[in-house]
Amino acid sequence: MKISTITKSSLVSVALLFSVASHAQFSLPGMGKSSSNAPAESPSDVVKNARNTLTSFVKAKLGLIEAMGGAEDLASQKKLVEGLKIGDAAATKEELETLVSLDKNTTDLISKKSAENAKLDAKNKTLASQSMLEYVKGLVSSKKLINSVTGLSKNPMSLGTSLGAVTFLAKEMPGIVSSGAGTTSTLFTYLNSNGVDTSAAKKAASSLGE
């Protein structure tokens, strides 16, 4: 029995269709076009990560100020930080506003204490070393977040309930990172003059140039 040309053509088309579908389903990652990039973070996840990062950064700054002899100035700031949620809890714009305010206040206190050039005892040297490392880590993480929040802010219609928080972060994060980077050199100079071990912090700071 002969099969018409049209029928043969149809069978070939069906065979190719199954072949393509099979390849798309079972091809290995990295082969062909079936592999896909990891899904982008949702706006709420970016806001949450920013809240967690800024909380760690501010805590590190409070540790530095305490080590520099400014413990008496920190009661209200510590109370605000302790009242913030961290981890997987959803973040709010209000929390971010509190953190940005704390960041500015602690920057002023660090400048004040650095200018006083107080000498550190052994206990405070240890606290300063640990806090400086966390400070740099927080700064590096904050810098990495800038691209995320800036990219999200360019598409406000997709942000839903995170619109206010993302817009606020896109405005404030560059200034936080710029200010933090400028304070870093001042802190290293001050801590090194006091014999504080800053080797781990300096190693972590190499990522700031990336």
Side-chain angles (χ1 to χ4, degrees):
M1 180 175 62
K2 293 184 179 180
I3 300 176
S4 66
T5 303
I6 294 177
T7 304
K8 287 181 177 180
S9 177
S10 298
L11 289 172
V12 170
S13 297
V14 171
L16 287 172
L17 182 61
F18 274 105
S19 176
V20 171
S22 177
H23 176 76
Q25 182 176 0
F26 298 108
S27 58
L28 295 173
M31 296 179 63
K33 296 183 179 181
S34 61
S35 62
S36 60
N37 294 326
E41 285 185 297
S42 67
S44 60
D45 281 341
V46 171
V47 172
K48 178 179 64 179
N49 290 340
R51 187 271 317 278
N52 293 342
T53 293
L54 290 176
T55 299
S56 295
F57 186 49
V58 168
K59 284 182 177 180
K61 295 174 78 174
L62 292 175
L64 283 165
I65 295 166
E66 182 174 349
M68 297 162 77
E72 69 279 2
D73 301 321
L74 303 180
S76 60
Q77 287 91 337
K78 284 185 174 182
K79 186 175 181 179
L80 286 171
V81 171
E82 289 169 359
L84 295 173
K85 297 177 181 177
I86 55 173
D88 289 330
T92 65
K93 181 184 176 184
E94 288 71 24
E95 288 177 319
L96 298 174
E97 289 172 338
T98 296
L99 285 164
V100 169
S101 177
L102 284 168
D103 175 74
K104 293 175 180 178
N105 290 339
T106 50
T107 294
D108 291 341
L109 283 171
I110 285 174
S111 296
K112 176 184 175 182
K113 291 301 176 183
S114 296
E116 291 175 359
N117 199 29
K119 299 301 178 183
L120 306 183
D121 59 24
K123 180 181 177 180
N124 283 332
K125 286 181 181 180
T126 299
L127 176 59
S129 178
Q130 295 170 343
S131 298
M132 189 63 194
L133 174 58
E134 294 306 313
Y135 174 96
V136 172
K137 287 181 177 179
L139 189 59
V140 170
S141 296
S142 296
K143 182 180 178 181
K144 291 179 179 178
L145 279 167
I146 291 178
N147 286 338
S148 296
V149 297
T150 301
L152 287 173
S153 68
K154 292 178 180 178
N155 189 15
M157 296 298 290
S158 68
L159 300 179
T161 57
S162 298
L163 174 61
V166 170
T167 302
F168 179 74
L169 285 170
K171 175 185 175 183
E172 298 292 342
M173 288 299 289
I176 290 174
V177 172
S178 177
S179 174
T183 303
T184 299
S185 58
T186 300
L187 282 168
F188 275 134
T189 298
Y190 169 76
L191 297 177
N192 289 337
S193 69
N194 271 274
V196 175
D197 181 6
T198 59
S199 56
K202 286 181 177 178
K203 183 177 180 179
S206 63
S207 299
L208 286 172
E210 297 177 355

